[in-house]
Amino acid sequence: MHGAQIPFAEALNPLAAGFILLSAFGMVATRQVQGVMRFFILQSAFLALSAFLIGFSRGSIHLWALGGITIAAKVIAIPWVLKRTLPGDLYERREIDQALNIPSSLLLALLLAIAAEFVVSPLVTTSADAVIRVNLPIGLAGILIGAYSLIARREALPQLVGILAMENGAFFAGVALAPDLPLIAELAVAIDVVLIAVVIGVLTRDIHRTIGTTQAAAMTELKEESQP
Amino acid sequence: MTRTVAYNIIQLLFVIGFAPLYAGVLSRFKENVQSKRGPSIFQPYRDLWKLFHKDEVVSEETTWIFRVTPYLVFVVPLFVTTLIPVLTDYPLAFAFMGDMLAGGFFLGLAGFFAGLAAVDTGNPYGPMGASRTRMVGFLAEPVFMIVFFTVSFVAQSTIPYIVQQKWVASPAAFFSPAHILLLIAFLMLILAEGGKIPVDNPTGHFELAMIDESKGLEYSGRGAALMKWGGAMKFLVLTCIFLNVLLGPWGLAHGQQLGDVLLAVPLILIKVFLFVIVLVVIESSLAKLRLFRISEFLGAAFIISVAAMIASIFSVSVA
């Protein structure tokens, strides 16, 4: 259909999109904090790969820079920062407390993905751009699934990963819509994201130090600051 | 016509002959990765030879089902082999005899009889394993169907050869998010159906934890050999569907000459060997799931396959 005139590098972009959607599902399906983190790193890596591919085929230096920033910020800096700020036993937790069980979460994530495709489909019929057709629905699905895991998970670190996954989805859709976004904007966002991670990491550590847990469900009672 | 029949027979011989080798390479390589020496890659052939030369013991309490089942388990993967592209990328003589659902039904028939035979003996472990196998089976069924419907929808056909040509050859389908999602979903399905590690431990000898193995516990001699061989062939057939129909046509014979088809044999073996490496990595790096987590595993496969279907439907309707 469109295959003949699409350059090879750009043709690989949908495969990266498939992995991005897959790791979004993985973040919902995993019980372990470490597993959620790994899926986030995987998603960010494929995001960077997608930016490189589109940047390569369109000759856009902005997208190369974006991919580099994504790798530096999300694949390296954020996991490292969180590893340093958070106490180790958060990572060793095997069962994350969450509002719904895993199968219903997965079904909801699927519904969100279908909704994203459905919402986007009237928008992309007029556009002939293959990249927009692939990136927009999957980016939107990434945003919605990230928002869902932000709601459903009751633990600080997976909630943070939910926010970051939303950012990933927005980034993936944005790459298609505005490939020549000024670098300064993206740089600001990338630094913002790292700062969010640092702030939430430090806050979580403080909460963990004073209360002894980071499960949101356990924090239902007020606690006096200074006991004699 | 006679030529395509001959090629079909070559495909059958390929599946019959190399299925034990596939199992042998897989187990040897897995042991090697876990820094053990492991059995020879030809050990499954020796096992079959040994079992065929042993006496068969059949309990007096069993019915005809117990006797018929090994033959069914052996023959059914061969039926499926005639329907799918194992060595060639053009349809052979029996390709239009049945579609992919027919293949699914054939494999389901063997599974059904194997389950009945396990219950037939009255051995306490048999029915337990049979019911677990059914549980895995009915959870796997929807994934099977959704994967097949998705590729059939794109290819406008349910015949595996046609699907292979349309689905993998057209760049729009090959380079689509649905392709990756379908591959992952079908890989999870193969792991579940083949009794591989996240679902079942193929090397475990503890009857209480068995899922797939316990169906063959009561068989001895020739029956055991046929069950073993049939199981290996079923796994090779599923692998061929995964590698040739869904993943890509690389290695399949394109030309009509006998030499092309014979050249495809080592190429497909190399492809299968690369898949063995993937399987070994999966099997060595994951732990076996608890029984009631299997529903989550296959549920995830189902979700992924439905996401693939949605993605492909919308992308096709747009394009």
PDB file of all heavy atoms in Angstrom, chain B residues 61-63 65-66 69 112-132 134 214-216 218-219:
ATOM      1  N   GLU B  61      -8.076 -52.213  33.144  1.00  0.00           N
ATOM      2  CA  GLU B  61      -9.228 -51.358  33.418  1.00  0.00           C
ATOM      3  C   GLU B  61      -9.472 -50.345  32.304  1.00  0.00           C
ATOM      4  O   GLU B  61     -10.494 -49.672  32.326  1.00  0.00           O
ATOM      5  CB  GLU B  61      -9.018 -50.594  34.732  1.00  0.00           C
ATOM      6  CG  GLU B  61      -8.608 -51.461  35.903  1.00  0.00           C
ATOM      7  CD  GLU B  61      -9.707 -52.442  36.282  1.00  0.00           C
ATOM      8  OE1 GLU B  61     -10.872 -52.076  36.160  1.00  0.00           O
ATOM      9  OE2 GLU B  61      -9.370 -53.583  36.659  1.00  0.00           O
ATOM     10  N   THR B  62      -8.525 -50.206  31.396  1.00  0.00           N
ATOM     11  CA  THR B  62      -8.663 -49.124  30.415  1.00  0.00           C
ATOM     12  C   THR B  62      -9.550 -49.549  29.253  1.00  0.00           C
ATOM     13  O   THR B  62      -9.783 -50.732  29.015  1.00  0.00           O
ATOM     14  CB  THR B  62      -7.298 -48.725  29.858  1.00  0.00           C
ATOM     15  OG1 THR B  62      -6.686 -49.895  29.339  1.00  0.00           O
ATOM     16  CG2 THR B  62      -6.436 -48.114  30.913  1.00  0.00           C
ATOM     17  N   THR B  63     -10.030 -48.533  28.527  1.00  0.00           N
ATOM     18  CA  THR B  63     -10.881 -48.786  27.369  1.00  0.00           C
ATOM     19  C   THR B  63     -10.088 -48.536  26.086  1.00  0.00           C
ATOM     20  O   THR B  63      -8.887 -48.284  26.130  1.00  0.00           O
ATOM     21  CB  THR B  63     -12.104 -47.853  27.399  1.00  0.00           C
ATOM     22  OG1 THR B  63     -11.622 -46.514  27.421  1.00  0.00           O
ATOM     23  CG2 THR B  63     -12.947 -48.115  28.615  1.00  0.00           C
ATOM     24  N   ILE B  65     -10.037 -46.030  24.310  1.00  0.00           N
ATOM     25  CA  ILE B  65      -9.504 -44.665  24.214  1.00  0.00           C
ATOM     26  C   ILE B  65      -8.017 -44.655  24.548  1.00  0.00           C
ATOM     27  O   ILE B  65      -7.208 -44.019  23.870  1.00  0.00           O
ATOM     28  CB  ILE B  65     -10.288 -43.737  25.165  1.00  0.00           C
ATOM     29  CG1 ILE B  65     -11.701 -43.552  24.632  1.00  0.00           C
ATOM     30  CG2 ILE B  65      -9.597 -42.400  25.315  1.00  0.00           C
ATOM     31  CD1 ILE B  65     -12.578 -42.735  25.507  1.00  0.00           C
ATOM     32  N   PHE B  66      -7.678 -45.412  25.591  1.00  0.00           N
ATOM     33  CA  PHE B  66      -6.280 -45.439  26.024  1.00  0.00           C
ATOM     34  C   PHE B  66      -5.375 -45.977  24.919  1.00  0.00           C
ATOM     35  O   PHE B  66      -4.255 -45.521  24.744  1.00  0.00           O
ATOM     36  CB  PHE B  66      -6.173 -46.316  27.276  1.00  0.00           C
ATOM     37  CG  PHE B  66      -4.825 -46.291  27.911  1.00  0.00           C
ATOM     38  CD1 PHE B  66      -4.449 -45.229  28.700  1.00  0.00           C
ATOM     39  CD2 PHE B  66      -3.941 -47.343  27.724  1.00  0.00           C
ATOM     40  CE1 PHE B  66      -3.203 -45.201  29.286  1.00  0.00           C
ATOM     41  CE2 PHE B  66      -2.697 -47.311  28.305  1.00  0.00           C
ATOM     42  CZ  PHE B  66      -2.325 -46.247  29.087  1.00  0.00           C
ATOM     43  N   THR B  69      -5.285 -43.336  21.712  1.00  0.00           N
ATOM     44  CA  THR B  69      -4.719 -42.004  21.910  1.00  0.00           C
ATOM     45  C   THR B  69      -3.287 -41.826  21.400  1.00  0.00           C
ATOM     46  O   THR B  69      -3.011 -40.835  20.719  1.00  0.00           O
ATOM     47  CB  THR B  69      -4.817 -41.608  23.395  1.00  0.00           C
ATOM     48  OG1 THR B  69      -6.191 -41.581  23.733  1.00  0.00           O
ATOM     49  CG2 THR B  69      -4.197 -40.263  23.651  1.00  0.00           C
ATOM     50  N   PHE B 112      -7.794 -33.373  23.449  1.00  0.00           N
ATOM     51  CA  PHE B 112      -9.007 -33.918  24.057  1.00  0.00           C
ATOM     52  C   PHE B 112      -8.825 -35.401  24.374  1.00  0.00           C
ATOM     53  O   PHE B 112      -9.100 -35.866  25.489  1.00  0.00           O
ATOM     54  CB  PHE B 112     -10.171 -33.701  23.093  1.00  0.00           C
ATOM     55  CG  PHE B 112     -11.469 -34.327  23.527  1.00  0.00           C
ATOM     56  CD1 PHE B 112     -12.172 -33.802  24.595  1.00  0.00           C
ATOM     57  CD2 PHE B 112     -11.986 -35.421  22.853  1.00  0.00           C
ATOM     58  CE1 PHE B 112     -13.366 -34.372  24.990  1.00  0.00           C
ATOM     59  CE2 PHE B 112     -13.167 -35.983  23.247  1.00  0.00           C
ATOM     60  CZ  PHE B 112     -13.871 -35.467  24.309  1.00  0.00           C
ATOM     61  N   PHE B 113      -8.314 -36.159  23.378  1.00  0.00           N
ATOM     62  CA  PHE B 113      -8.158 -37.594  23.611  1.00  0.00           C
ATOM     63  C   PHE B 113      -7.063 -37.874  24.638  1.00  0.00           C
ATOM     64  O   PHE B 113      -7.184 -38.799  25.440  1.00  0.00           O
ATOM     65  CB  PHE B 113      -7.881 -38.322  22.288  1.00  0.00           C
ATOM     66  CG  PHE B 113      -9.132 -38.796  21.632  1.00  0.00           C
ATOM     67  CD1 PHE B 113      -9.795 -38.003  20.717  1.00  0.00           C
ATOM     68  CD2 PHE B 113      -9.678 -40.030  21.963  1.00  0.00           C
ATOM     69  CE1 PHE B 113     -10.962 -38.419  20.132  1.00  0.00           C
ATOM     70  CE2 PHE B 113     -10.853 -40.450  21.377  1.00  0.00           C
ATOM     71  CZ  PHE B 113     -11.500 -39.651  20.450  1.00  0.00           C
ATOM     72  N   ALA B 114      -5.998 -37.063  24.611  1.00  0.00           N
ATOM     73  CA  ALA B 114      -4.956 -37.273  25.612  1.00  0.00           C
ATOM     74  C   ALA B 114      -5.515 -37.053  27.009  1.00  0.00           C
ATOM     75  O   ALA B 114      -5.195 -37.800  27.944  1.00  0.00           O
ATOM     76  CB  ALA B 114      -3.783 -36.335  25.346  1.00  0.00           C
ATOM     77  N   GLY B 115      -6.391 -36.058  27.153  1.00  0.00           N
ATOM     78  CA  GLY B 115      -7.016 -35.823  28.448  1.00  0.00           C
ATOM     79  C   GLY B 115      -7.889 -36.976  28.876  1.00  0.00           C
ATOM     80  O   GLY B 115      -7.833 -37.446  30.019  1.00  0.00           O
ATOM     81  N   LEU B 116      -8.707 -37.473  27.919  1.00  0.00           N
ATOM     82  CA  LEU B 116      -9.574 -38.614  28.240  1.00  0.00           C
ATOM     83  C   LEU B 116      -8.748 -39.828  28.637  1.00  0.00           C
ATOM     84  O   LEU B 116      -9.070 -40.536  29.599  1.00  0.00           O
ATOM     85  CB  LEU B 116     -10.422 -38.973  27.023  1.00  0.00           C
ATOM     86  CG  LEU B 116     -11.639 -38.120  26.731  1.00  0.00           C
ATOM     87  CD1 LEU B 116     -12.432 -38.761  25.610  1.00  0.00           C
ATOM     88  CD2 LEU B 116     -12.505 -37.983  27.957  1.00  0.00           C
ATOM     89  N   ALA B 117      -7.650 -40.085  27.900  1.00  0.00           N
ATOM     90  CA  ALA B 117      -6.837 -41.252  28.182  1.00  0.00           C
ATOM     91  C   ALA B 117      -6.217 -41.149  29.570  1.00  0.00           C
ATOM     92  O   ALA B 117      -6.079 -42.150  30.278  1.00  0.00           O
ATOM     93  CB  ALA B 117      -5.751 -41.403  27.124  1.00  0.00           C
ATOM     94  N   ALA B 118      -5.842 -39.925  29.960  1.00  0.00           N
ATOM     95  CA  ALA B 118      -5.249 -39.763  31.284  1.00  0.00           C
ATOM     96  C   ALA B 118      -6.274 -40.075  32.364  1.00  0.00           C
ATOM     97  O   ALA B 118      -5.947 -40.648  33.411  1.00  0.00           O
ATOM     98  CB  ALA B 118      -4.721 -38.339  31.442  1.00  0.00           C
ATOM     99  N   VAL B 119      -7.538 -39.723  32.121  1.00  0.00           N
ATOM    100  CA  VAL B 119      -8.577 -40.017  33.107  1.00  0.00           C
ATOM    101  C   VAL B 119      -8.891 -41.509  33.095  1.00  0.00           C
ATOM    102  O   VAL B 119      -9.228 -42.102  34.118  1.00  0.00           O
ATOM    103  CB  VAL B 119      -9.843 -39.191  32.793  1.00  0.00           C
ATOM    104  CG1 VAL B 119     -10.951 -39.492  33.780  1.00  0.00           C
ATOM    105  CG2 VAL B 119      -9.515 -37.725  32.813  1.00  0.00           C
ATOM    106  N   ASP B 120      -8.742 -42.127  31.924  1.00  0.00           N
ATOM    107  CA  ASP B 120      -9.150 -43.503  31.703  1.00  0.00           C
ATOM    108  C   ASP B 120      -8.453 -44.486  32.632  1.00  0.00           C
ATOM    109  O   ASP B 120      -9.035 -45.473  33.068  1.00  0.00           O
ATOM    110  CB  ASP B 120      -8.830 -43.851  30.235  1.00  0.00           C
ATOM    111  CG  ASP B 120      -9.626 -45.036  29.762  1.00  0.00           C
ATOM    112  OD1 ASP B 120     -10.652 -45.335  30.408  1.00  0.00           O
ATOM    113  OD2 ASP B 120      -9.232 -45.654  28.767  1.00  0.00           O
ATOM    114  N   THR B 121      -7.168 -44.210  32.951  1.00  0.00           N
ATOM    115  CA  THR B 121      -6.401 -45.204  33.691  1.00  0.00           C
ATOM    116  C   THR B 121      -6.785 -45.277  35.154  1.00  0.00           C
ATOM    117  O   THR B 121      -6.537 -46.292  35.796  1.00  0.00           O
ATOM    118  CB  THR B 121      -4.915 -44.850  33.633  1.00  0.00           C
ATOM    119  OG1 THR B 121      -4.757 -43.563  34.198  1.00  0.00           O
ATOM    120  CG2 THR B 121      -4.414 -44.852  32.214  1.00  0.00           C
ATOM    121  N   GLY B 122      -7.350 -44.217  35.724  1.00  0.00           N
ATOM    122  CA  GLY B 122      -7.653 -44.236  37.140  1.00  0.00           C
ATOM    123  C   GLY B 122      -6.467 -43.880  38.013  1.00  0.00           C
ATOM    124  O   GLY B 122      -6.578 -43.833  39.235  1.00  0.00           O
ATOM    125  N   ASN B 123      -5.319 -43.636  37.416  1.00  0.00           N
ATOM    126  CA  ASN B 123      -4.164 -43.134  38.139  1.00  0.00           C
ATOM    127  C   ASN B 123      -4.501 -41.763  38.712  1.00  0.00           C
ATOM    128  O   ASN B 123      -5.030 -40.913  38.006  1.00  0.00           O
ATOM    129  CB  ASN B 123      -3.014 -43.052  37.121  1.00  0.00           C
ATOM    130  CG  ASN B 123      -1.772 -42.388  37.670  1.00  0.00           C
ATOM    131  OD1 ASN B 123      -1.788 -41.769  38.728  1.00  0.00           O
ATOM    132  ND2 ASN B 123      -0.692 -42.512  36.942  1.00  0.00           N
ATOM    133  N   PRO B 124      -4.252 -41.528  40.018  1.00  0.00           N
ATOM    134  CA  PRO B 124      -4.678 -40.238  40.582  1.00  0.00           C
ATOM    135  C   PRO B 124      -4.017 -39.022  39.935  1.00  0.00           C
ATOM    136  O   PRO B 124      -4.601 -37.948  39.912  1.00  0.00           O
ATOM    137  CB  PRO B 124      -4.278 -40.347  42.050  1.00  0.00           C
ATOM    138  CG  PRO B 124      -3.328 -41.475  42.119  1.00  0.00           C
ATOM    139  CD  PRO B 124      -3.674 -42.406  41.028  1.00  0.00           C
ATOM    140  N   TYR B 125      -2.795 -39.199  39.405  1.00  0.00           N
ATOM    141  CA  TYR B 125      -2.108 -38.036  38.843  1.00  0.00           C
ATOM    142  C   TYR B 125      -2.602 -37.686  37.445  1.00  0.00           C
ATOM    143  O   TYR B 125      -2.518 -36.534  37.029  1.00  0.00           O
ATOM    144  CB  TYR B 125      -0.600 -38.279  38.807  1.00  0.00           C
ATOM    145  CG  TYR B 125      -0.022 -38.454  40.170  1.00  0.00           C
ATOM    146  CD1 TYR B 125       0.598 -39.635  40.524  1.00  0.00           C
ATOM    147  CD2 TYR B 125      -0.119 -37.446  41.106  1.00  0.00           C
ATOM    148  CE1 TYR B 125       1.114 -39.807  41.789  1.00  0.00           C
ATOM    149  CE2 TYR B 125       0.391 -37.604  42.371  1.00  0.00           C
ATOM    150  CZ  TYR B 125       1.013 -38.789  42.714  1.00  0.00           C
ATOM    151  OH  TYR B 125       1.512 -38.950  43.954  1.00  0.00           O
ATOM    152  N   GLY B 126      -3.096 -38.699  36.736  1.00  0.00           N
ATOM    153  CA  GLY B 126      -3.538 -38.456  35.367  1.00  0.00           C
ATOM    154  C   GLY B 126      -4.645 -37.425  35.262  1.00  0.00           C
ATOM    155  O   GLY B 126      -4.492 -36.417  34.577  1.00  0.00           O
ATOM    156  N   PRO B 127      -5.782 -37.664  35.952  1.00  0.00           N
ATOM    157  CA  PRO B 127      -6.883 -36.692  35.857  1.00  0.00           C
ATOM    158  C   PRO B 127      -6.480 -35.297  36.321  1.00  0.00           C
ATOM    159  O   PRO B 127      -6.924 -34.295  35.747  1.00  0.00           O
ATOM    160  CB  PRO B 127      -7.950 -37.277  36.781  1.00  0.00           C
ATOM    161  CG  PRO B 127      -7.643 -38.715  36.836  1.00  0.00           C
ATOM    162  CD  PRO B 127      -6.168 -38.852  36.714  1.00  0.00           C
ATOM    163  N   MET B 128      -5.590 -35.257  37.339  1.00  0.00           N
ATOM    164  CA  MET B 128      -5.169 -33.950  37.823  1.00  0.00           C
ATOM    165  C   MET B 128      -4.437 -33.185  36.715  1.00  0.00           C
ATOM    166  O   MET B 128      -4.754 -32.023  36.419  1.00  0.00           O
ATOM    167  CB  MET B 128      -4.243 -34.140  39.017  1.00  0.00           C
ATOM    168  CG  MET B 128      -4.135 -32.964  39.907  1.00  0.00           C
ATOM    169  SD  MET B 128      -3.252 -33.417  41.384  1.00  0.00           S
ATOM    170  CE  MET B 128      -1.636 -33.785  40.736  1.00  0.00           C
ATOM    171  N   GLY B 129      -3.478 -33.881  36.096  1.00  0.00           N
ATOM    172  CA  GLY B 129      -2.742 -33.229  35.006  1.00  0.00           C
ATOM    173  C   GLY B 129      -3.652 -32.912  33.843  1.00  0.00           C
ATOM    174  O   GLY B 129      -3.539 -31.849  33.224  1.00  0.00           O
ATOM    175  N   ALA B 130      -4.604 -33.836  33.557  1.00  0.00           N
ATOM    176  CA  ALA B 130      -5.500 -33.606  32.425  1.00  0.00           C
ATOM    177  C   ALA B 130      -6.344 -32.368  32.660  1.00  0.00           C
ATOM    178  O   ALA B 130      -6.513 -31.537  31.760  1.00  0.00           O
ATOM    179  CB  ALA B 130      -6.385 -34.824  32.216  1.00  0.00           C
ATOM    180  N   SER B 131      -6.857 -32.221  33.897  1.00  0.00           N
ATOM    181  CA  SER B 131      -7.708 -31.043  34.126  1.00  0.00           C
ATOM    182  C   SER B 131      -6.883 -29.769  34.051  1.00  0.00           C
ATOM    183  O   SER B 131      -7.353 -28.740  33.551  1.00  0.00           O
ATOM    184  CB  SER B 131      -8.413 -31.164  35.469  1.00  0.00           C
ATOM    185  OG  SER B 131      -7.475 -31.202  36.497  1.00  0.00           O
ATOM    186  N   ARG B 132      -5.634 -29.843  34.531  1.00  0.00           N
ATOM    187  CA  ARG B 132      -4.789 -28.636  34.410  1.00  0.00           C
ATOM    188  C   ARG B 132      -4.517 -28.322  32.950  1.00  0.00           C
ATOM    189  O   ARG B 132      -4.511 -27.159  32.541  1.00  0.00           O
ATOM    190  CB  ARG B 132      -3.468 -28.855  35.134  1.00  0.00           C
ATOM    191  CG  ARG B 132      -3.624 -28.823  36.614  1.00  0.00           C
ATOM    192  CD  ARG B 132      -2.318 -29.125  37.259  1.00  0.00           C
ATOM    193  NE  ARG B 132      -2.473 -29.186  38.697  1.00  0.00           N
ATOM    194  CZ  ARG B 132      -1.534 -29.622  39.506  1.00  0.00           C
ATOM    195  NH1 ARG B 132      -0.393 -30.041  39.024  1.00  0.00           N
ATOM    196  NH2 ARG B 132      -1.725 -29.637  40.799  1.00  0.00           N
ATOM    197  N   ARG B 134      -6.395 -28.980  30.454  1.00  0.00           N
ATOM    198  CA  ARG B 134      -7.600 -28.375  29.878  1.00  0.00           C
ATOM    199  C   ARG B 134      -7.695 -26.910  30.270  1.00  0.00           C
ATOM    200  O   ARG B 134      -8.112 -26.067  29.494  1.00  0.00           O
ATOM    201  CB  ARG B 134      -8.873 -29.108  30.332  1.00  0.00           C
ATOM    202  CG  ARG B 134      -9.100 -30.494  29.815  1.00  0.00           C
ATOM    203  CD  ARG B 134      -8.498 -30.789  28.483  1.00  0.00           C
ATOM    204  NE  ARG B 134      -9.079 -30.035  27.380  1.00  0.00           N
ATOM    205  CZ  ARG B 134      -8.418 -29.771  26.269  1.00  0.00           C
ATOM    206  NH1 ARG B 134      -7.182 -30.155  26.110  1.00  0.00           N
ATOM    207  NH2 ARG B 134      -9.009 -29.117  25.312  1.00  0.00           N
ATOM    208  N   SER B 214       2.019 -35.216  32.790  1.00  0.00           N
ATOM    209  CA  SER B 214       1.313 -36.257  33.527  1.00  0.00           C
ATOM    210  C   SER B 214       0.357 -37.040  32.639  1.00  0.00           C
ATOM    211  O   SER B 214      -0.093 -38.113  33.012  1.00  0.00           O
ATOM    212  CB  SER B 214       0.535 -35.637  34.678  1.00  0.00           C
ATOM    213  OG  SER B 214      -0.416 -34.751  34.162  1.00  0.00           O
ATOM    214  N   LYS B 215       0.076 -36.498  31.438  1.00  0.00           N
ATOM    215  CA  LYS B 215      -0.828 -37.237  30.563  1.00  0.00           C
ATOM    216  C   LYS B 215      -0.201 -38.539  30.096  1.00  0.00           C
ATOM    217  O   LYS B 215      -0.906 -39.511  29.835  1.00  0.00           O
ATOM    218  CB  LYS B 215      -1.166 -36.382  29.332  1.00  0.00           C
ATOM    219  CG  LYS B 215      -2.010 -35.206  29.670  1.00  0.00           C
ATOM    220  CD  LYS B 215      -2.391 -34.461  28.417  1.00  0.00           C
ATOM    221  CE  LYS B 215      -1.154 -33.974  27.721  1.00  0.00           C
ATOM    222  NZ  LYS B 215      -1.477 -33.145  26.543  1.00  0.00           N
ATOM    223  N   GLY B 216       1.118 -38.568  29.985  1.00  0.00           N
ATOM    224  CA  GLY B 216       1.769 -39.756  29.448  1.00  0.00           C
ATOM    225  C   GLY B 216       2.301 -40.694  30.503  1.00  0.00           C
ATOM    226  O   GLY B 216       2.993 -41.657  30.168  1.00  0.00           O
ATOM    227  N   GLU B 218       1.082 -43.082  32.291  1.00  0.00           N
ATOM    228  CA  GLU B 218       0.675 -44.476  32.325  1.00  0.00           C
ATOM    229  C   GLU B 218       1.143 -45.242  31.094  1.00  0.00           C
ATOM    230  O   GLU B 218       0.947 -46.449  31.015  1.00  0.00           O
ATOM    231  CB  GLU B 218      -0.856 -44.568  32.415  1.00  0.00           C
ATOM    232  CG  GLU B 218      -1.382 -44.327  33.794  1.00  0.00           C
ATOM    233  CD  GLU B 218      -1.107 -45.495  34.717  1.00  0.00           C
ATOM    234  OE1 GLU B 218      -1.539 -46.602  34.392  1.00  0.00           O
ATOM    235  OE2 GLU B 218      -0.444 -45.302  35.744  1.00  0.00           O
ATOM    236  N   TYR B 219       1.729 -44.544  30.134  1.00  0.00           N
ATOM    237  CA  TYR B 219       2.110 -45.228  28.905  1.00  0.00           C
ATOM    238  C   TYR B 219       3.482 -45.854  29.038  1.00  0.00           C
ATOM    239  O   TYR B 219       4.354 -45.336  29.741  1.00  0.00           O
ATOM    240  CB  TYR B 219       2.090 -44.260  27.720  1.00  0.00           C
ATOM    241  CG  TYR B 219       0.689 -43.991  27.234  1.00  0.00           C
ATOM    242  CD1 TYR B 219       0.030 -42.834  27.583  1.00  0.00           C
ATOM    243  CD2 TYR B 219       0.036 -44.930  26.462  1.00  0.00           C
ATOM    244  CE1 TYR B 219      -1.256 -42.603  27.153  1.00  0.00           C
ATOM    245  CE2 TYR B 219      -1.252 -44.698  26.027  1.00  0.00           C
ATOM    246  CZ  TYR B 219      -1.897 -43.534  26.376  1.00  0.00           C
ATOM    247  OH  TYR B 219      -3.169 -43.312  25.955  1.00  0.00           O
TER     248      TYR B 219
END
